Amino acid sequence: MSVYAGLPLRLVCYAAGAAALSIVGPTLWTVPAFIAAAASVATALCFAIADVLFSTHRLARRAFVMAAYHKAEVEALGARVDALERLRPAAPLAVTVSETHDASLETANNLLQFAAHVSARCGRQMTPDIGADSAGDPIAEAQIELHLQPIVGIPDRRVQHYEVLSRLRSHTGTLMMPAEFLPAARATGRAADLDTRQLASIVGLCHRIGDRHMETRLFCNLSGDSLHSDGFRATLTAFAREQKALSQRIVFEIDAATAVTLNPEVAADLRGIEAMGFAFSVDKASLGDLPRLQGVFRRPGFLKLDAAMLEKADPNVLKAFARGGTQVIATHVETEEQATSVRRVGVELGQGFLFGKPRPARMDDNARRRAA
């Protein structure tokens, strides 16, 4: 609240007091009325001036204190920025700032936001300094760690497939989430390298699973940056050719926004991989995407649609997908009501926290060596 907030009221009180004194003054003191009135006005004026000066002094003092506080705050933030910048070679901003072994993703994001706040307050710019050949590169040194989220049959809740989600485990044991390492990987052209290492990891996981669950498929995410790389597509094609025996075990997953923007050359390479028996899944899709996707794939094996969208879908459209050989998977199923709604429109497969959160995959030593 401003120090001048009550000043008008106080001035009115002083004026009222002066008027009262000018009226009763002649009866209290044996002085002429005009002298009493003048004395009263002078007294009120002195009080008013003193009040204004005191309020101004308080305001000036408060401004001085706030200026000193902000100066100290900015200096403290500047010191934090200097500390973060000194740590940057060991823990780049785009990957993560210094955190404890069990820090959550939310904590890491808060640290990143704090660093950005510090930079803005102190007029500095913190930019990633990660080179593909730089010493101590955390992406190159980290190990791919696979986490699996189940895709279940909604009626019986039995696990049918798994989506494979990649994490990075640093040499210090810190688990890095995609939000922490993907921006750095994309900025430095390393996304294709990560996807290549993920492919090797999935092969190891398939060997770990063995023949116990032959119908269980692993959905492997591929980034748009990787698919637009001629080198990665050549690697992916060679992988499909060498691992053709796993064509019924591995599904390549691409998000719809990437799939509908692929150029004819990329689409031709993906159709060649389809011809080897591998299926593709399109994530974050909408019901209107299928006509455009038909220009990319021979036939998408799976179409992932948000549960909230499926609740309002036309069952006949979904039946048409099934007749064409495309299985629909409801994603982000978080409640029993959503599970009931998507099943009502004919969707039998679901994925979401209701059915299970991503969990680390168990891999034996041979599988880990393949993933290295």
Side-chain angles (χ1 to χ4, degrees):
M1 181 179 294
S2 172
V3 294
Y4 293 115
L7 184 59
L9 179 60
R10 295 198 297 272
L11 292 178
V12 170
C13 290
Y14 296 149
L21 283 174
S22 64
I23 294 172
V24 301
T27 62
L28 295 178
W29 305 294
T30 57
V31 294
F34 74 92
I35 294 178
S40 300
V41 171
T43 302
L45 186 59
C46 289
F47 275 113
I49 293 174
D51 197 319
V52 171
L53 290 176
F54 179 70
S55 298
T56 302
H57 170 73
R58 290 178 60 195
L59 181 63
R61 187 171 181 274
R62 179 179 296 180
F64 175 79
V65 172
M66 291 300 294
Y69 171 79
H70 286 304
K71 180 181 179 181
E73 182 188 40
V74 170
E75 289 177 353
L77 292 175
R80 184 65 185 272
V81 168
D82 290 337
L84 290 173
E85 288 181 341
R86 285 194 297 272
L87 292 173
R88 183 168 53 185
L93 176 64
V95 179
T96 180
V97 294
S98 178
E99 61 179 5
T100 59
H101 172 72
D102 60 347
S104 65
L105 175 59
E106 181 180 1
T107 302
N109 287 336
N110 289 338
L111 287 172
L112 291 172
Q113 292 172 6
F114 177 78
H117 170 70
V118 169
S119 302
R121 289 296 303 268
C122 299
R124 302 181 181 214
Q125 182 178 4
M126 297 178 67
T127 56
D129 187 18
I130 307 174
D133 300 320
S134 62
D137 182 355
I139 294 180
E141 294 177 355
Q143 182 179 14
I144 287 280
E145 184 172 304
L146 302 183
H147 288 224
L148 305 179
Q149 184 172 24
I151 300 171
V152 308
I154 296 178
D156 57 12
R157 307 299 167 90
R158 294 184 60 182
V159 175
Q160 302 294 321
H161 313 293
Y162 290 98
E163 179 175 355
V164 180
L165 304 169
S166 294
R167 311 286 188 257
L168 288 184
R169 180 74 68 177
S170 72
H171 67 282
T172 62
T174 300
L175 184 67
M176 293 182 284
M177 307 295 285
E180 299 171 84
F181 62 79
L182 281 182
R186 288 167 177 162
T188 57
R190 306 288 297 284
D193 175 59
L194 287 177
D195 280 351
T196 300
R197 292 165 61 187
Q198 179 185 229
L199 291 175
S201 302
I202 288 180
V203 171
L205 185 57
C206 286
H207 287 285
R208 171 73 175 83
I209 295 174
D211 298 332
R212 292 173 298 164
H213 306 285
M214 291 298 295
E215 296 181 355
T216 300
R217 294 189 172 192
L218 301 178
F219 286 59
C220 170
N221 288 279
L222 302 178
S223 71
D225 300 80
S226 299
L227 292 174
H228 285 99
S229 166
D230 294 340
F232 175 78
R233 291 202 311 279
T235 299
L236 183 63
T237 301
F239 172 88
R241 189 177 297 111
E242 294 170 3
Q243 304 295 337
K244 193 172 182 179
L246 298 177
S247 62
Q248 299 304 305
R249 308 290 297 277
I250 297 175
V251 177
F252 298 118
E253 184 162 297
I254 305 170
D255 66 78
T258 296
V260 298
T261 59
L262 296 177
N263 62 48
E265 181 182 358
V266 177
D269 288 342
L270 297 186
R271 285 195 294 271
I273 293 172
E274 277 187 292
M276 299 180 199
F278 288 87
F280 281 85
S281 170
V282 180
D283 192 16
K284 302 181 181 69
S286 65
L287 294 174
D289 286 331
L290 193 59
R292 291 184 293 174
L293 293 174
Q294 289 174 341
V296 179
F297 306 104
R298 296 170 183 267
R299 173 181 54 81
F302 300 88
L303 199 64
K304 288 189 173 183
L305 300 170
D306 192 281
M309 181 187 304
L310 284 170
E311 291 175 356
K312 304 174 183 179
D314 183 349
N316 293 323
V317 174
L318 300 178
K319 290 178 182 177
F321 287 161
R323 288 194 298 269
T326 298
Q327 297 187 60
V328 175
I329 301 175
T331 59
H332 301 99
V333 182
E334 316 295 342
T335 65
E336 288 291 348
E337 291 75 12
Q338 287 180 315
T340 301
S341 297
V342 298
R343 189 184 177 192
R344 189 180 298 120
V345 296
V347 177
E348 298 293 320
L349 295 177
Q351 179 181 358
F353 282 4
L354 176 64
F355 309 125
K357 297 180 180 180
R359 302 293 183 189
R362 295 191 300 272
M363 299 175 67
D364 57 23
D365 292 338
N366 291 331
R368 291 188 185 281
R369 280 194 291 272
R370 293 187 184 96

